[in-house]
Amino acid sequence: NYELIIHSLKNMLATTLFLVLFFIFLALFLSYKVCEYLFESIDTLNENTNNILQHHYHKSIKEPKYKEFDRLTNNFKQMQEAIEQREEHLKNSLKSFETLVNSTIEAIIIHKNGLVIDVNEVAVRLFKYTKKEQMIDNNIEVIASNRCKEVIRSFLEIQTEPYEIELLKNDGSSFMALMQDRFLTLNNALVKVSTIIDISELKHKEKLLFQQSKMASMGEMIGNIAHQWRQPLSTISTAASGLKLHHEMGILKQEDLYDALNVIVKSTQYLSKTIDDFRNFFKSNRNKEYFKIEDAINSVLSLMSASFKHNSIEVIFKIQEDIMLYGTKNEFIQAVLNILNNAKDAILSHRARIQND
């Protein structure tokens, strides 16, 4: 039957079309599920990567559903652990470095083109600030006294060896400091690091030591004056006693009187000259000048001659004549005087040891 055949064919085509559409939808559905499963794992890996890139190391690595990504996930975990350990190490190193910088006796100021970009805690305390932010972004010249601002300005572009400079604190007080400037690269930028040490206390102690040294020199000079004056005073006393005795005995002659008076006058002139010599020695004249070394040393030997003679010490002085020196004459004389006094003390100490032995 023709109609039966046509009807059967239509049923077959309909069934075939239904089956084809069913399998197409089934394939699409399975493909969608597979893709969803796959892309979810990729999204998980992407999220893990973003967490690492954004430094969210504390977030745990998510396990992907697609087991083929297990090896890659494990690599991310190892990477995260390594980065966490390295970052922790860097934080500890940075903390240790900051502690070290803040534990030094030096104030450290980092500046670029004259502007302060960082300081350590020592600098904050030294310059009487309450926090470092008060110093940051200020010009480095603000820490210098008015007469030393030009020095800071002239050293901005060069490295320096340690030099003394007067600096200014936040409260307006000034102090002497030892400062050194060095360039270094920080965060790919060339900056300058200035280290500062407060030496005001050292300067004060140096001044005290100088005063003590000067007092010791004055003591030595007083001893030398005593030796210098002993002989002329003895001569004056002898001459005066002789005149008195001759007058009491009635045998005083005019020529004896004149001779005795001449001796007294010469002795008093010698005493007056000695006073002038010692006065010149203690003059605080720091002006530099040209002077003959021979004259300076002879003046010292003249001052100490009586002391050397009293201690039976002979000084032999030989020098080429007309040697000139440019400097502070009084300081040179004081230096030679200290050397000779030390030599005298060493000789007397050596003699005392020999006698004790």
Side-chain angles (χ1 to χ4, degrees):
N1 189 319
Y2 176 77
E3 291 181 1
L4 181 60
I5 294 173
I6 294 299
H7 180 71
S8 298
L9 287 175
K10 287 181 178 180
N11 288 336
M12 291 177 60
L13 288 174
T15 303
T16 303
L17 180 61
F18 173 78
L19 291 174
V20 170
L21 292 175
F22 173 77
F23 282 112
I24 289 175
F25 281 112
L26 180 62
L28 290 174
F29 177 76
L30 293 176
S31 299
Y32 170 76
K33 286 298 182 180
V34 170
C35 290
E36 183 182 23
Y37 189 78
L38 176 62
F39 282 107
E40 185 178 355
S41 297
I42 294 177
D43 290 338
T44 301
L45 291 175
N46 186 48
E47 183 180 352
N48 294 334
T49 306
N50 287 333
N51 288 334
I52 294 176
L53 290 176
Q54 294 174 8
H55 309 289
H56 298 158
Y57 305 122
H58 60 282
K59 292 185 178 181
S60 61
I61 298 292
K62 294 182 177 180
E63 295 288 344
K65 296 181 178 179
Y66 196 62
K67 298 303 180 182
E68 299 299 330
F69 290 103
D70 283 348
R71 182 178 297 178
L72 186 58
T73 302
N74 291 331
N75 290 338
F76 275 121
K77 285 183 178 180
Q78 294 176 5
M79 183 190 303
Q80 184 184 28
E81 292 174 357
I83 292 176
E84 285 180 345
Q85 293 176 359
R86 189 171 301 174
E87 189 172 75
E88 187 67 24
H89 178 70
L90 289 175
K91 286 181 180 179
N92 293 333
S93 298
L94 180 61
K95 187 176 180 179
S96 300
F97 178 75
E98 290 177 349
T99 302
L100 177 63
V101 168
N102 292 322
S103 300
T104 64
I105 63 173
E106 299 175 330
I108 300 176
I109 298 179
I110 303 175
H111 52 100
K112 182 180 180 182
N113 299 326
L115 291 179
V116 178
I117 59 178
D118 200 5
V119 298
N120 65 347
E121 294 296 333
V122 182
V124 175
R125 294 193 298 268
L126 177 61
F127 289 98
K128 301 292 185 182
Y129 288 92
T130 56
K131 53 185 179 180
K132 63 168 60 179
E133 286 75 14
Q134 293 176 303
M135 299 184 68
I136 294 174
D137 293 333
N138 286 332
N139 195 296
I140 186 69
E141 295 178 18
V142 76
I143 67 170
S145 63
N146 290 332
R147 66 187 185 92
C148 293
K149 289 185 184 295
E150 183 60 33
V151 177
I152 295 288
R153 199 176 299 120
S154 63
F155 287 162
L156 280 180
E157 303 299 329
I158 60 174
Q159 295 194 142
T160 66
E161 296 300 322
Y163 60 94
E164 292 186 9
I165 187 172
E166 184 182 26
L167 299 180
L168 202 63
K169 296 183 180 181
N170 188 38
D171 59 4
S173 61
S174 61
F175 66 99
M176 290 303 298
L178 193 66
M179 191 168 178
Q180 178 177 275
D181 303 310
R182 284 287 185 269
F183 285 106
L184 61 82
T185 301
L186 185 64
N187 294 330
N188 297 323
L190 186 65
V191 298
K192 195 171 190 182
V193 178
S194 297
T195 53
I196 302 167
I197 298 178
D198 184 0
I199 60 171
S200 54
E201 186 66 24
L202 293 177
K203 284 292 183 182
H204 178 66
K205 291 181 179 179
E206 181 181 317
K207 187 176 181 180
L208 290 178
L209 288 174
F210 175 76
Q211 292 295 335
Q212 291 176 358
S213 176
K214 192 171 183 180
M215 294 298 294
S217 297
M218 290 181 65
E220 293 285 347
M221 286 298 96
I222 291 173
N224 289 327
I225 290 174
H227 288 299
Q228 293 281 64
W229 281 21
R230 185 174 286 111
Q231 181 62 34
L233 288 175
S234 176
T235 302
I236 292 173
S237 177
T238 301
S241 299
L243 288 177
K244 182 180 179 181
L245 180 62
H246 287 178
H247 177 70
E248 290 175 350
M249 295 179 63
I251 59 175
L252 180 61
K253 298 180 181 179
Q254 189 173 6
E255 58 182 14
D256 293 336
L257 176 63
Y258 287 150
D259 290 341
L261 291 177
N262 286 332
V263 169
I264 292 173
V265 170
K266 288 181 179 180
S267 297
T268 53
Q269 288 176 346
Y270 175 78
L271 293 176
S272 177
K273 181 178 180 301
T274 303
I275 292 174
D276 291 337
D277 290 339
F278 283 105
R279 182 183 298 148
N280 291 331
F281 174 77
F282 285 109
K283 280 183 178 178
S284 58
N285 181 15
R286 301 182 64 86
N287 295 328
K288 292 185 177 182
E289 59 181 341
Y290 285 99
F291 62 91
K292 291 178 66 173
I293 296 180
E294 181 181 10
D295 293 342
I297 297 179
N298 279 330
S299 65
V300 177
L301 294 177
S302 175
L303 293 174
M304 299 191 64
S305 59
S307 176
F308 284 145
K309 185 176 181 180
H310 175 75
N311 291 289
S312 301
I313 297 174
E314 180 184 2
V315 179
I316 301 174
F317 175 44
K318 295 180 180 180
I319 188 174
Q320 180 180 340
E321 296 181 357
D322 300 329
I323 297 179
M324 303 295 293
L325 184 65
Y326 180 74
T328 308
K329 184 177 180 180
N330 279 353
E331 292 184 354
F332 178 81
I333 290 176
Q334 291 178 18
V336 175
L337 179 67
N338 289 334
I339 293 172
L340 292 178
N341 275 325
N342 291 338
K344 181 190 73 174
D345 293 340
I347 291 174
L348 296 180
S349 177
H350 182 65
R351 288 178 180 173
R353 285 199 302 270
I354 293 176
Q355 290 176 358
N356 292 333
D357 293 341

